[in-house]
Amino acid sequence: MNENLFASFIAPTILGLPAAVLIILFPPLLIPTSKYLINNRLITTQQWLIKLTSKQMMTMHNTKGRTWSLMLVSLIIFIATTNLLGLLPHSFTPTTQLSMNLAMAIPLWAGAVIMGFRSKIKNALAHFLPQGTPTPLIPMLVIIETISLLIQPMALAVRLTANITAGHLLMHLIGNTTLAMSTINLPSTLIIFTILILLTILEIAVALIQAYVFTLLVSLYLHDNT
Amino acid sequence: MASVVGIFSHSSVSVPVKDKKLLEVKLGELPSWILMRDFSPSGIFGAFQRGYYRYYNKYINVKKGSISGITMVLACYVLFSYSFSYKHLKHERLRKYH
């Protein structure tokens, strides 16, 4: 039972070669591009969604921050489609692997911070000390603010990994419970099945929300540093 | 894949084996047909591209495309993932001896 519970998180391999690369490359197949103004229904709905999210996200940035808009919009689309595809039965979700989330979080955070330190160094350093702190507390507070800055990429990656992994695990466990209880006690099976349905709806929401949160925080770090 | 159409589409006209489509190749010519296909990386990429556009133009790039165009792709993805996880799923079958 223990071996089976975590076996769905193992990266799939074909004869030892990582098939996870193929699975990561699958979502772009679902998002076609077009050179025409009026397209088929799939492209039209996707373009409408992309326009909605990009407008929502990029209005708070100035001109320099908006140069990142391609990066952030493609980030949110990638995370959202990967999380939603992971809700299909038997599929492998790349965002459950901490390695991939770290690979996404660290370069983006580092890019935003380095950009801030290069252009406006006084503003960037001023983040380390909030306004109006009493003078004796200053050394300690600087240390605390530095730690909270350095922990941001770790928090981004671990937040995404933990949320998606926990959701998948819960669904596995409750699904197994439903199956096991179906022979023992029927009314409780129906209750547990209702819980499973609610959990699935929650997971769909979590998939989208996590994408949003990741991207929002990256854009927040960007806003601080432009 | 070049196909010979028009007045040359009946079998009594001899067409070189290389240019035939798969359903027009006779069974005895199958090994030589397979060997003549282009298996270089650009050839394989071209084959994937042709297949993608064949599916895309038939089911998605139409005036009133329905949701089945994309659900067929997702169903194939589910079957593909099932084949990967079969190895540890077969221990969960309800059998007396595994």
Side-chain angles (χ1 to χ4, degrees), chain B residues 12-59:
Chain B
S12 63
V13 177
S14 64
V15 179
V17 176
K18 181 177 185 301
D19 294 332
K20 287 193 206 173
K21 285 189 181 177
L22 179 59
L23 292 174
E24 291 166 11
V25 168
K26 301 211 188 320
L27 208 58
E29 293 166 354
L30 198 59
S32 54
W33 183 87
I34 290 179
L35 288 173
M36 283 183 199
R37 298 302 297 165
D38 183 16
F39 285 117
S40 65
S42 69
I44 292 182
F45 181 71
F48 275 117
Q49 215 177 14
R50 280 195 304 268
Y52 174 79
Y53 279 114
R54 216 171 113 185
Y55 184 85
Y56 180 70
N57 287 326
K58 183 164 182 195
Y59 290 109

Side-chain angles (χ1 to χ4, degrees), chain A residues 174-194:
Chain A
I174 294 194
N176 277 341
T177 313
T178 317
L179 213 57
M181 292 289 272
S182 62
T183 54
I184 298 174
N185 183 7
L186 195 57
S188 57
T189 311
L190 293 172
I191 295 175
I192 295 174
F193 189 64
T194 317

Side-chain angles (χ1 to χ4, degrees), chain A residues 4 19 23 40-41 43 90, chain B residues 56 60-61 65 77 81-82 92:
Chain A
N4 289 334
I23 295 181
N40 51 48
R41 287 179 176 180
I43 294 183
H90 304 304
Chain B
Y56 180 70
I60 301 183
N61 203 9
Y77 178 65
S81 315
Y82 181 72
E92 290 181 21

Side-chain angles (χ1 to χ4, degrees), chain A residues 62-94:
Chain A
N62 54 10
T63 311
K64 192 163 182 211
R66 283 190 192 158
T67 53
W68 277 52
S69 51
L70 177 64
M71 182 72 231
L72 293 176
V73 170
S74 56
L75 184 69
I76 189 172
I77 288 171
F78 174 68
I79 299 181
T81 46
T82 314
N83 289 347
L84 284 173
L85 278 176
L87 290 174
L88 293 171
H90 304 304
S91 58
F92 170 70
T93 323

